[in-house]
Amino acid sequence: MIRRRVLVSGTVQGVFFRDSCRRAAAEAEVVGWVRNLPDGRVEAVFEGDPDPVEQMVAWTHHGPPRAVVDHVEVHEEQPEGLLVFAITT
């Protein structure tokens, strides 16, 4: 199991990024969370098997159709053993 934290910049709020991310994570069988940040970025954490987690990291580079992703920061972290994927505040 691996964990990645991503910070996504661009037009990523108000374009259904979080809900689309939640649905993509469920399909990939990845757990974690996603939230909007006050500075306009989206932050997400993905935990699971390496291939599905990396698939979700790749997904954040484009996001849903209305998103315009300018930059993605990826940080490796120790897994916490999360059980679900949630949209948080």
Side-chain angles (χ1 to χ4, degrees), residues 38-58:
D39 64 5
R41 295 181 298 169
V42 168
E43 179 180 29
V45 165
F46 305 116
E47 283 190 10
D49 292 329
D51 287 345
V53 167
E54 294 302 338
Q55 174 185 330
M56 286 305 303
V57 171

Side-chain angles (χ1 to χ4, degrees), residues 13 36-41:
Q13 292 189 14
N36 285 341
L37 295 176
D39 64 5
R41 295 181 298 169

Side-chain angles (χ1 to χ4, degrees), residues 17-81:
F17 198 101
R18 292 176 300 159
D19 188 57
S20 298
C21 184
R22 179 190 56 79
R23 285 186 275 125
E27 188 174 306
E29 299 182 354
V30 169
V31 298
W33 50 264
V34 62
R35 67 180 176 181
N36 285 341
L37 295 176
D39 64 5
R41 295 181 298 169
V42 168
E43 179 180 29
V45 165
F46 305 116
E47 283 190 10
D49 292 329
D51 287 345
V53 167
E54 294 302 338
Q55 174 185 330
M56 286 305 303
V57 171
W59 180 90
T60 65
H61 284 79
H62 58 79
R66 293 178 50 204
V68 178
V69 176
D70 294 332
H71 183 71
V72 178
E73 290 179 39
V74 181
H75 304 275
E76 293 184 19
E77 297 182 347
Q78 288 295 106
E80 294 181 1

